[in-house]
């Protein structure tokens, strides 16, 4: 949470904290770290720290956009497939199987080039490709609830499907979907960085973490450490999202609920100590 919180702090204030204009060049080309340029400069003399801070909002918000699109497109049909009839269920299952069979990055590159090389189109395509994960998890969680006794009792009592979904299904599906959402934030960030590394979605000179990584690889002779500057934030934030997903999964399980509600054992609180027994 500290890493994720700091990352989104930079989303809000990173461009304001940049010491230089991230698009402005200077005569100091490929300069090393110094008091004036903490992370050095790139091949056009632009301050690397300023570009890193200015590229944070676009990189992270694009990852959030990917996860939200996948959540809406995948989780909602996943829940509805259990209650909307055989035709809807069969159609959505075949569509999900098709999306899973497609090569992820290659399909994203191809469709983005077809729709137009812009960040919005790229995020929509990647969000659609992450939807099968949300669909399958939401459907599995809904199936586990749909045949439970309290849902059957509500149905016999005359409750309609919308009421059952709102009152019983959603609260059971949300924890499982939250795990996928946290994981897909990391997947979205990796994919956004990969697309911008390839020059797709975000066009230079707009700063992004993946774009910085691509430009630094051409000058390893002069600055061999340069790719680490954008790579370390990508690794750290993706790691934080994956750990968050693991924590949510563990807490929502039986062992996690026992850990959260655990009270001191009776023998730990009431058993007399050895000194008391001796006295």
């Amino acid at each position: 949470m500290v890493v994720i919180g700091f990352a989104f702090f930079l989303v809000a204030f990173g461009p304001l904290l940049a010491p230089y204009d991230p698009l402005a060049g200077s005569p100091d080309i490929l300069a090393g770290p110094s008091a004036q340029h903490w992370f050095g400069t790139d091949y056009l003399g632009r301050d690397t720290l300023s570009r890193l801070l200015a590229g944070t909002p676009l990189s992270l918000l694009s990852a959030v956009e990917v996860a939200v699109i996948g959540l809406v497109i995948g989780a909602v049909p996943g829940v509805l497939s259990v209650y909307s009839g055989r035709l809807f269920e069969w159609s959505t299952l075949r569509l999900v199987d098709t999306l899973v069979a497609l090569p992820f990055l290659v399909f994203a590159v191809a469709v983005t080039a077809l729709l137009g090389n812009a960040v919005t189109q790229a995020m929509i395509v990647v969000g659609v490709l992450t939807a099968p994960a949300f669909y399958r998890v939401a459907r599995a969680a809904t199936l586990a609830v749909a045949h439970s006794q309290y849902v059957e009792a509500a149905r016999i009592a005359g409750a309609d499907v919308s009421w059952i979904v709102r009152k019983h299904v959603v609260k059971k599906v949300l924890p499982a979907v939250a795990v996928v959402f946290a994981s897909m934030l990391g997947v979205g960030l990796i994919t956004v960085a990969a697309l911008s590394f390839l020059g797709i979605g975000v066009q230079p000179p707009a700063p992004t973490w993946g774009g910085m990584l691509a430009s630094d690889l051409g000058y390893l002779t002069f600055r061999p450490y340069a790719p680490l500057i954008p790579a370390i934030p990508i690794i750290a934030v993706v790691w934080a999202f994956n750990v968050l997903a693991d924590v949510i999964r563990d807490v929502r399980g039986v062992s996690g609920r026992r850990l959260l509600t655990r009270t001191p054992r009776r023998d730990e609180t009431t058993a007399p100590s050895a000194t008391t027994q001796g006295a």
Side-chain angles (χ1 to χ4, degrees), residues 10 16 116 157 209 215:
L10 294 181
L16 300 177
W209 291 352
S215 63

Side-chain angles (χ1 to χ4, degrees), residues 11-75:
V11 169
F13 300 104
L16 300 177
L17 297 175
Y20 299 94
D21 183 353
L23 303 180
S26 70
D28 297 328
I29 297 176
L30 298 175
S34 63
Q36 291 77 23
H37 305 284
W38 289 5
F39 291 165
T41 60
D42 65 2
Y43 66 99
L44 294 177
R46 298 172 296 191
D47 183 65
T48 302
L49 175 60
S50 299
R51 290 184 61 79
L52 185 70
L53 294 174
T56 302
L58 189 56
S59 299
L60 286 180
L61 292 181
S62 298
V64 173
E65 184 179 354
V66 167
V68 170
I69 292 174
L71 172 66
V72 174
I73 296 178

Side-chain angles (χ1 to χ4, degrees), residues 15 34 37 47 97 105 107 121 142 155 182 194 229 257 262:
S34 63
H37 305 284
D47 183 65
D97 292 341
L105 190 59
F107 183 76
Q121 288 88 327
T142 305
R155 186 178 302 168
I229 297 173
R257 289 195 295 269
R262 186 178 63 181

